[in-house]
Amino acid sequence: MLLEKGYKEIFESEPWRLEGSNKFFCTRNGTTIFAFRLGDKLDWENTGFKIIGCHTDSPCLRLAPISKLQSNSYHQCCVQTYGGGLWHTWFDRDLTLAGRVLYRTEDNNGIGSRLFHYNRPLMRIPNLAIHLRDAADRNKLDPNKEKDLRPIFSSEVYRQLTHGDVQKDNVPIESRHYEGLIHLISRETGIATKDICDLDLCFADTQPATLLGLDQDFISSPRLDNLYSSYHALRALLSDESVDPNDNFINMVVLFDHEEIGSQSSQGARSEMLRDSLERIFAAKSPVNASIVRPLSRSLFVSADMAHAAHPNYPGKHQELHQPIMNKGIVIKTNVNQSYATDGVSASILRLVAEKAKVPVQEFIVRNDSPCGSTIGPIVSAKVSIKTVDIGAPQFSMHSIREQCGILDGFYYLKLFKAFFAEYHTLNTSILRS
């Protein structure tokens, strides 16, 4: 998407001169990406940053470093649980593997990586029949994360009958993962089995996303939290409707990894990556010794993560006056204890942008007797010293293997993000500097 739209890739290991284009992007670890567009009338004395931040990761099962498992003549996988998933939803789904394969380069002096996604069902975590459960166990949705979440991907009996005694190569990685899995990955990627060093793979549902409902007004899909936000943020950045020829600000989208596990990593929101990048952008064009504090004081960070729609079967789980509905607009998320970074100022600015874009807005707080999730919003707000608002599109089934949201809220997301990029720099935001 970015390359097709004329964005130039830059690298953290090289100097940033920001020449030959006004559109750039950079990645870290292949899982965090940020892209930005310099305003056509960039004025370093009066500039600022318009940033939309999301995250790329979702709760899932991940292949363990040693995945070989065998029980009752079945080949299984040892897994690690990533994030806080609704793990009971992973039972009886047709699963596959996707992610990154690490391999030795041809000169045997370096490491390369290649993406891998097998688009056919590979394995399944079968439920235990109701007849074999005791009364207490029948009413639980609480699998043991160590013992019960082991996918089955082949039958030893069948493999012996169909494959026989195959001559095995001396491939080191086959001591940790099943030979059949390594050979499948080799065929799909074109990497010789002897060169495969490691596997950074996630389990995923093979059922594709689909429209849902009598009027096709819902989306059923894996990983809506938070790829739905990420996708619309990138679309807005790349849209011509987001460009004002008189813009003196910098439009940016940053998509972080590791939000679901606390963001504490070199590619997570708790790293120095965003602050360092903003300083490098500013230093590349601004006068020597100019301070980034001034442009940050004019800036706004929109933390876009999904929001909890009020569930018709459990309306009491939401605060009675704050019950977001799917297809009814984007949600401003507020928590006075700073689980969300929204305050009166940032919420008011967001409402002003939404009003200009004719996007309906809803409000969300948690009940006082309920715990509250969090986002990258408070982390970035503190690390970068930037005014922040937390928003999201309402959805059901957050952290399930399949989630649900409304199609209209994608339309509202896109309109709001485009208006933010196109309009924010024209607003009187002097209140940010008071």
Side-chain angles (χ1 to χ4, degrees), residues 70-76 155-157:
Q70 188 168 323
S71 178
N72 283 37
S73 295
Y74 293 103
H75 294 156
Q76 297 180 272
S155 160
E156 184 181 7
V157 174

Side-chain angles (χ1 to χ4, degrees), residues 16 22 29 35 85 144 147 166 201 237 239 264 345 354 359 421 427:
W16 286 12
N22 68 339
N29 191 52
N144 182 293
K147 296 181 179 179
V166 179
L201 300 179
L237 180 69
S239 171
Q264 189 73 33
V345 171
V359 170
F421 285 139
L427 304 179

Side-chain angles (χ1 to χ4, degrees), residues 75 155-166:
H75 294 156
S155 160
E156 184 181 7
V157 174
Y158 182 83
R159 287 193 67 84
Q160 285 180 346
L161 288 173
T162 57
H163 290 68
D165 294 326
V166 179

Side-chain angles (χ1 to χ4, degrees), residues 146-158:
E146 178 61 29
K147 296 181 179 179
D148 298 342
L149 295 174
R150 295 175 172 178
I152 297 172
F153 70 89
S154 71
S155 160
E156 184 181 7
V157 174
Y158 182 83

Side-chain angles (χ1 to χ4, degrees), residues 417-434:
F417 292 159
K418 287 178 181 178
F420 173 61
F421 285 139
E423 301 277 355
Y424 175 78
H425 61 283
T426 68
L427 304 179
N428 181 352
T429 56
S430 58
I431 191 172
L432 291 177
R433 300 182 288 283
S434 62

Side-chain angles (χ1 to χ4, degrees), residues 9 37 40 42 83 143 177 184 207 217 247 261 322 327 330:
E9 186 172 9
R37 187 185 193 281
D40 292 336
L42 198 60
H177 304 285
L184 182 146
Q207 183 181 346
D217 51 337
D247 194 352
I261 55 172
H322 302 79
N327 286 322
I330 301 305

Side-chain angles (χ1 to χ4, degrees), residues 10 15-19 24 36 38 42 44 276-288 290:
I10 54 178
W16 286 12
R17 297 186 179 89
L18 305 187
E19 297 171 343
F24 304 89
F36 59 94
L38 307 178
L42 198 60
W44 293 104
D276 289 347
S277 298
L278 298 180
E279 290 181 347
R280 293 183 75 176
I281 293 167
F282 187 65
K285 296 292 185 179
S286 64
V288 177

Side-chain angles (χ1 to χ4, degrees), residues 208-280:
T210 184
L211 295 178
L212 177 71
L214 285 175
D215 299 310
Q216 305 282 276
D217 51 337
F218 300 116
I219 298 171
S220 169
S221 174
R223 300 177 295 281
L224 289 172
D225 173 24
N226 190 33
L227 295 184
Y228 200 60
S229 307
S230 301
Y231 172 70
H232 288 99
L234 269 181
R235 280 192 64 194
L237 180 69
L238 301 180
S239 171
D240 292 338
E241 296 175 37
S242 299
V243 178
D244 176 0
N246 297 311
D247 194 352
N248 64 324
F249 273 47
I250 298 158
N251 293 345
M252 176 179 283
V253 167
V254 56
L255 309 178
F256 285 110
D257 194 6
H258 289 162
E259 188 272 347
E260 296 292 358
I261 55 172
S263 300
Q264 189 73 33
S265 70
S266 64
Q267 60 263 30
R270 292 186 191 276
S271 72
E272 302 295 330
M273 183 181 184
L274 180 55
R275 177 79 187 208
D276 289 347
S277 298
L278 298 180
E279 290 181 347
R280 293 183 75 176

